[in-house]
Amino acid sequence: MKITPAAATSIENIDVIRSSSEFIGAFELSVDFAFSPVDDAHLDALAKLRGDGIEFTVHAPFRDLNIASLNPGAYEAARADMMRAMRIAHRVGASVLNVHPGIHG
């Protein structure tokens, strides 16, 4: 079994990821679209780090959303955020997308 030193951080912390990558080999990137829109340049920088050997997982948004909501508007908003998280996970080459699906009301 391979054990890789890992840390969780906001997807916004690219400088922290770069400066820590010599002793931390994997990062779980927290994605929360209410607070941090992610642009292409940022995703390209993360993908480059992935190409340099850094592993990523992505933690999908979990604040103020419920993918299991019976309310169509709330469900659609949660679904849209989950789809963005999946696209980000794909762009940065993440091996895991961590999702908290919510509960039925």
Side-chain angles (χ1 to χ4, degrees):
M1 172 186 349
K2 175 185 168 189
I3 297 176
T4 302
T9 188
S10 169
I11 196 166
E12 297 173 311
N13 289 336
I14 211 101
D15 291 335
V16 170
I17 295 167
R18 273 193 195 111
S19 65
S20 303
S21 64
E22 73 180 62
F23 55 91
I24 297 175
F27 293 87
E28 179 168 83
L29 305 173
S30 177
V31 179
D32 192 325
F33 297 100
F35 297 98
S36 57
V38 181
D39 63 20
D40 284 337
H42 194 87
L43 292 173
D44 291 344
L46 289 167
K48 182 184 179 319
L49 287 169
R50 174 74 172 107
D52 292 341
I54 301 301
E55 298 176 37
F56 293 114
T57 64
V58 171
H59 195 293
F62 57 94
R63 291 184 265 200
D64 298 328
L65 66 91
N66 181 2
I67 195 71
S69 179
L70 298 176
N71 175 309
Y75 165 78
E76 196 50 48
R79 182 185 171 287
D81 276 353
M82 290 299 164
M83 295 304 293
R84 283 188 210 110
M86 280 193 262
R87 286 190 291 276
I88 287 172
H90 176 74
R91 285 278 304 272
V92 302
S95 58
V96 171
L97 176 65
N98 182 355
V99 175
H100 296 269
I103 59 171
H104 283 289

